[in-house]
Each structure stands twice: as structure tokens, then as C-alpha cells.
Amino acid sequence: CDPFERFFYSAVRAHVLGDGAVTPDAAAWLRRVVFADGQVDPREQALLRGLRAVARTCPEFDDLCADCLSHDGGPNPKEMSP
């Protein structure tokens, strides 16, 4: 992981966690970021696992984790537009 990537993921964690909870708005923002390229890579999965381990979550974040962590990282059919 290069220095920029470490910085980026650290900044995302700080932004999303705020006061230790993932809000519905933060979960929606994170969903847009994670699926910006139409797929979930292993680093994004690790980020979600790390957030889930330490944060108070909301249903929207739980749904995002279920969508991202239950497949192999390729395109997610739920995120593909018709």
C-alpha cells in the first residue's frame, strides 16, 4: 500500500466514523465511493471490515457491508445500472 493510499483510507475512516458511528449519510457516501468503479476491490473490503469492527453502525452501512463482502469483488449486480 503506497503512502497516498494509506492517507486516503485513513481520511475515509476519519470522515466516516466521526463520533464513532457510521450514519446513514456516511454510509450512502461510502457506497458511492466504493462502487465508483463498479466493483469492490480487496482494499475496499478491508476498509469496510475495519469500520464494521469498531463503529456503531446503521442499517444502511450493514446493507453496504452485506453487498460488498458477500461477493468476489467483481461487479455487483445490485450496483449495475440497467
Side-chain angles (χ1 to χ4, degrees), residues 22-45:
V22 179
T23 66
D25 287 342
W29 176 82
L30 192 54
R31 180 176 288 278
R32 288 190 304 274
V33 169
V34 167
F35 283 108
D37 63 356
Q39 59 187 8
V40 183
D41 67 42
R43 292 174 301 236
E44 292 163 334
Q45 289 176 326

Side-chain angles (χ1 to χ4, degrees), residues 1-79:
C1 180
D2 68 50
F4 175 78
E5 198 169 278
R6 282 192 299 274
F7 167 77
F8 175 77
Y9 284 112
S10 176
V12 168
R13 276 189 289 279
H15 174 73
V16 169
L17 285 179
D19 66 355
V22 179
T23 66
D25 287 342
W29 176 82
L30 192 54
R31 180 176 288 278
R32 288 190 304 274
V33 169
V34 167
F35 283 108
D37 63 356
Q39 59 187 8
V40 183
D41 67 42
R43 292 174 301 236
E44 292 163 334
Q45 289 176 326
L47 171 68
L48 294 173
R49 284 188 189 99
L51 290 171
R52 188 172 59 177
V54 299
R56 292 184 314 276
T57 64
C58 61
E60 293 84 355
F61 181 73
D62 295 337
D63 290 345
L64 173 61
C65 286
D67 291 346
C68 294
L69 301 176
S70 65
H71 65 85
D72 64 3
N76 183 342
K78 288 185 177 182
E79 296 299 321

